[in-house]
């Protein structure tokens, strides 16, 4: 009977405990005198270290391209990305007989281009920096699966050796634009990659440009355009974008489009002028529905020097440094074997920057995931969201990453303890075989959010956003945290409850 009501009483206890430090009186205030609940709290020691991952899972909606110098290590960070294009279902072009763009009686594309749209807020560095980009056609699709930030598509055989390759110089603030055009764009920048060169397909057919290859495929094989899978596997496997020269700009592209331009007539659109010619394009975008992966090159030796610092730990992205957290699971559970664990709250405090903050300082890591160390790969590979069981999400607030309230980590403590208990039943050396059993990792992440609207009355509604997917942060961030050592540990506050026998 006591256990039946413990959960409900515990919730009340937690609410009251936050307002009343006199825990000895708490049980009497919520239960009768013959069946009192005793609530207590205790602090335990948490140890932390910097951890250098080899790579991170890089399937992401973020597309980063460029190379910058990390001001903390004075070394280069380079990013590139692979993008496929989402062909909308039931894509439709005008009847072949209505196409005006012709050469020797055959359909051609007037032009073709890949257009990359800068997110100038998230782009890091000098907008005038002179950069050079290489665009390479893929030989085959990069299938869904395990793709990490050290993935090299060329070494893995994904770049088509005799395929389309394009080299282009660029800066985010395009100096080829007139001042009036730049002012009219109001900081809205894009990069246009013109695909005007002759293109040789895998079957040896030569087209006047890449767009003509795509258009003729549409009219010869419309089934290739019925959805993204068919388009990617039969027409366009995707492109790899890499920085091959230039330093000082890390561009974030929030959209990448493929556009094939053509002209056509349609007397139904304007019966009064049946000979009117219209300009249109076949478009496809790199979106969440298709695969995008980011490749990152960091100088690991420089990062290793940061992990050796004794007074702090780091959070750095992309694919930089995590903070490893060793939780006092045995201490918590063994000392309170007959108690119920109501909550476990912990905060990781940020240290102020030692360097002067400039326009070229990395942003502070805004969002983190605290996750069981051995669950990291499966979590990201399977596209999961935080669950407050073994994965917990929070954002920087009041100069700390705090796990409390709905994100307190009591479930993680209990899970780790039970995993060990069950493991020892069949393997006396279970702990030796599972050295990470009581370790969690603090990781910079990027929350992919969805907006929800809740109707509250006939005249008003409430709009909120919440993460629907957690991805590794592929942007440039860096944060120093107070390190938990044996001499100066970080404290985890644990609240227990038990019935007074």
């Amino acid at each position: 009977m006591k256990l039946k009501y413990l959960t409900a009483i515990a919730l009340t206890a937690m609410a009251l405990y936050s307002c009343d430090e006199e825990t000895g009186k708490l049980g009497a205030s919520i239960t009768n005198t013959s069946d009192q609940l005793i609530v207590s709290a205790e602090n335990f020691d948490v140890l932390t270290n910097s951890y250098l991952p080899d790579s991170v899972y890089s399937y992401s909606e973020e597309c980063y391209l460029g190379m910058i110098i990390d001001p903390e290590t004075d070394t280069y960070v380079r990013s590139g990305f692979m993008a496929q294009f989402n062909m909308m279902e039931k894509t439709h072009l005008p009847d072949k007989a209505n196409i005006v763009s012709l050469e020797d009686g055959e359909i051609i594309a007037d032009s073709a281009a890949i257009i990359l749209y800068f997110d100038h807020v998230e782009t890091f560095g000098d907008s005038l920096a002179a950069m050079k980009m290489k665009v390479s056609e893929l030989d085959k699709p990069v299938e869904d699966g395990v793709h990490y930030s050290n993935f090299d598509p060329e070494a893995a055989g994904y770049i088509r050796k005799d395929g389309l390759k394009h080299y282009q110089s660029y800066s985010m603030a395009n100096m080829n634009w007139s001042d009036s055009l730049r002012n009219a764009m109001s900081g809205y920048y894009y990069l246009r990659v013109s695909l005007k060169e002759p293109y040789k397909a895998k079957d040896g057919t030569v087209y006047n440009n890449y767009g003509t290859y795509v258009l003729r495929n549409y009219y010869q094989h419309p089934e290739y355009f019925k959805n993204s899978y068919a388009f990617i596997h039969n027409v366009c496997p995707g492109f790899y974008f890499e920085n091959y020269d230039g330093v000082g700009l890390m561009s974030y592209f929030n959209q990448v489009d493929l556009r094939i331009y053509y002209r056509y007539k349609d007397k139904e659109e304007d019966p009064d002028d049946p000979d009117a010619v219209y300009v249109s394009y076949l478009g496809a975008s790199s979106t969440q529905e298709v695969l995008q992966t980011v490749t990152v090159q960091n100088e690991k030796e420089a990062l290793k020097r940061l992990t050796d610092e004794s007074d702090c730990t780091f959070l750095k992205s992309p694919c930089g440094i995590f903070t490893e957290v060793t939780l006092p699971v045995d201490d918590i559970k063994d000392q309170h074997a007959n108690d119920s664990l109501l909550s476990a709250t912990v905060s990781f405090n940020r240290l102020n920057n030692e360097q002067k903050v400039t326009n070229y300082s990395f942003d502070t890591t805004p969002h983190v995931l605290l996750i069981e160390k051995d669950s990291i790969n499966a979590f990201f590979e399977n596209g999961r969201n935080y669950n407050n069981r073994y994965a917990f999400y929070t954002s920087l607030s009041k100069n700390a990453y705090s796990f409390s309230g709905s994100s307190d980590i009591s479930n993680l403590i209990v899970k780790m303890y039970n995993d060990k208990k069950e493991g020892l039943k069949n393997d006396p050396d279970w702990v030796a075989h599972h050295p990470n059993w009581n370790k969690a990792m603090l990781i910079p992440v990027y929350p992919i959010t969805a907006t929800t609207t809740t109707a509250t009355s006939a005249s008003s509604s409430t709009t909120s956003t919440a993460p629907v997917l957690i991805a590794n942060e592929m942007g440039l961030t860096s944060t120093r945290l107070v390190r938990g050592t044996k001499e100066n540990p970080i404290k985890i506050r644990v609240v227990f409850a038990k019935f007074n026998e």
Side-chain angles (χ1 to χ4, degrees):
M1 182 64 69
K2 293 177 181 179
L3 293 177
K4 180 178 180 181
Y5 296 106
L6 181 58
T7 300
I9 295 173
L11 292 174
T12 306
M14 289 172 64
L16 292 174
Y17 183 79
S18 64
C19 303
D20 188 350
E21 296 181 355
E22 298 183 23
T23 58
K25 300 178 181 179
L26 184 56
S29 69
I30 59 175
T31 64
N32 61 46
T33 56
S34 64
D35 197 20
Q36 290 184 345
L37 181 71
I38 299 175
V39 177
S40 62
E42 191 172 340
N43 291 332
F44 295 87
D45 296 345
V46 173
L47 306 181
T48 60
N49 289 287
S50 289
Y51 177 85
L52 186 63
D54 175 66
S55 59
V56 299
Y57 187 67
S58 69
Y59 179 19
S60 173
E61 69 169 10
E62 299 178 285
C63 296
Y64 285 94
L65 175 68
M67 185 164 67
I68 55 87
I69 296 176
D70 183 341
E72 285 184 311
T73 62
D74 200 32
T75 59
Y76 295 114
V77 180
R78 176 185 286 145
S79 290
F81 66 94
M82 183 283 301
Q84 297 173 346
F85 295 98
N86 181 25
M87 182 59 61
M88 300 296 292
E89 293 188 13
K90 299 181 180 179
T91 293
H92 177 74
L93 295 182
D95 289 342
K96 185 177 181 180
N98 292 342
I99 297 295
V100 176
S101 301
L102 300 172
E103 185 176 84
D104 297 330
E106 295 288 337
I107 290 175
I108 61 170
D110 293 321
S111 63
I114 298 173
I115 304 174
L116 304 96
Y117 296 91
F118 291 95
D119 184 328
H120 69 278
V121 175
E122 298 295 333
T123 292
F124 177 91
D126 184 355
S127 64
L128 298 178
M131 309 297 290
K132 294 183 180 180
M133 171 182 61
K134 178 182 178 181
V135 183
S136 302
E137 179 190 10
L138 298 186
D139 183 64
K140 56 186 176 182
V142 178
E143 305 290 355
D144 288 338
V146 180
H147 304 294
Y148 283 82
S149 56
N150 58 357
F151 172 67
D152 184 341
E154 186 167 8
Y158 281 94
I159 303 298
R160 185 183 163 198
K161 293 182 179 179
D162 57 348
L164 184 153
K165 288 183 175 58
H166 181 90
Y167 299 84
Q168 184 162 328
S169 299
Y170 71 97
S171 63
M172 186 175 76
N174 192 336
M175 299 310 294
N176 291 323
W177 290 353
S178 65
D179 290 341
S180 59
L181 176 59
R182 191 176 297 104
N183 292 333
M185 297 300 289
S186 299
Y188 183 75
Y189 303 118
Y190 66 87
L191 171 61
R192 182 184 179 89
V193 178
S194 178
L195 306 179
K196 61 184 179 181
E197 300 87 355
Y199 174 76
K200 184 177 182 180
K202 287 185 177 181
D203 64 3
T205 304
V206 177
Y207 302 87
N208 68 318
N209 62 45
Y210 184 79
T212 298
Y213 156 76
V214 174
L215 286 183
R216 290 187 186 175
N217 263 281
Y218 175 86
Y219 289 106
Q220 294 170 7
H221 299 283
E223 69 275 13
Y224 291 172
F225 293 75
K226 65 180 181 179
N227 54 39
S228 295
Y229 184 89
F231 181 68
I232 290 167
H233 284 78
N234 294 287
V235 181
C236 177
F239 293 89
Y240 181 59
F241 302 81
E242 60 184 312
N243 172 268
Y244 78 93
D245 198 7
V247 145
L249 181 67
M250 183 66 73
S251 303
Y252 172 43
F253 297 110
N254 55 14
Q255 184 174 330
V256 183
D257 289 349
L258 174 65
R259 292 188 179 184
I260 314 298
Y261 293 88
Y262 60 89
R263 289 165 294 132
Y264 71 101
K265 289 182 178 180
D266 190 341
K267 62 182 180 181
E268 293 183 1
E269 290 192 26
D270 188 356
D272 295 331
D273 187 5
D275 293 325
V277 175
Y278 302 91
V279 177
S280 187
Y281 64 85
L282 170 65
S285 297
S286 184
T287 65
Q288 293 182 39
E289 289 74 23
V290 291
L291 189 63
Q292 297 176 158
T293 64
V294 179
T295 298
V296 178
Q297 295 177 14
N298 279 320
E299 296 194 25
K300 295 297 185 182
E301 286 302 316
L303 293 175
K304 179 64 169 59
R305 290 194 293 271
L306 294 184
T307 66
D308 292 337
E309 293 191 14
S310 59
D311 62 339
C312 66
T313 63
F314 283 86
L315 297 172
K316 285 181 73 68
S317 65
C319 187
I321 303 175
F322 300 161
T323 287
E324 182 184 75
V325 180
T326 301
L327 295 168
V329 178
D330 281 338
D331 291 343
I332 292 172
K333 295 295 292 182
D334 290 347
Q335 294 179 32
H336 295 266
N338 298 319
D339 298 350
S340 294
L341 198 160
L342 298 188
S343 70
T345 60
V346 62
S347 291
F348 301 94
N349 294 320
R350 173 178 172 262
L351 291 169
N352 292 328
N353 292 330
E354 292 181 337
Q355 298 175 327
K356 181 180 179 181
V357 177
T358 69
N359 291 335
Y360 301 106
S361 299
F362 287 5
D363 288 340
T364 300
T365 304
H367 312 288
V368 297
L369 186 76
L370 182 68
I371 182 170
E372 197 174 32
K373 185 175 180 179
D374 286 344
S375 298
I376 294 174
N377 290 351
F379 179 90
F380 290 106
E381 289 173 13
N382 292 301
R384 294 174 181 169
N385 199 359
Y386 69 97
N387 55 18
N388 289 339
R389 181 170 178 263
Y390 63 84
F392 305 78
Y393 167 81
T394 194
S395 301
L396 182 68
S397 178
K398 297 180 180 179
N399 223 30
Y401 303 98
S402 298
F403 294 88
S404 60
S406 61
S407 64
D408 88 76
I409 64 171
S410 54
N411 286 333
L412 180 59
I413 300 295
V414 173
K415 180 183 184 301
M416 288 177 167
Y417 181 80
N418 289 338
D419 286 349
K420 176 188 174 184
K421 184 178 178 180
E422 291 300 311
L424 289 173
K425 290 181 180 180
N426 300 315
D427 181 6
D429 296 323
W430 185 88
V431 172
H433 296 152
H434 298 81
N436 299 325
W437 75 274
N438 63 341
K439 290 181 171 56
M441 204 70 76
L442 203 59
I443 300 174
V445 293
Y446 174 79
I448 299 173
T449 60
T451 301
T452 58
T453 302
T454 304
T456 56
S457 68
S459 59
S460 65
S461 62
T462 301
T463 301
S464 61
T465 59
V468 295
L469 180 68
I470 300 293
N472 281 293
E473 175 63 73
M474 305 309 292
L476 300 166
T477 71
S478 185
T479 303
R480 295 165 62 243
L481 300 176
V482 174
R483 183 180 179 185
T485 64
K486 290 183 178 180
E487 295 77 19
N488 295 290
I490 294 170
K491 296 296 182 179
I492 182 170
R493 181 76 164 171
V494 183
V495 178
F496 304 92
K498 67 176 180 180
F499 285 103
N500 184 9
E501 299 295 340

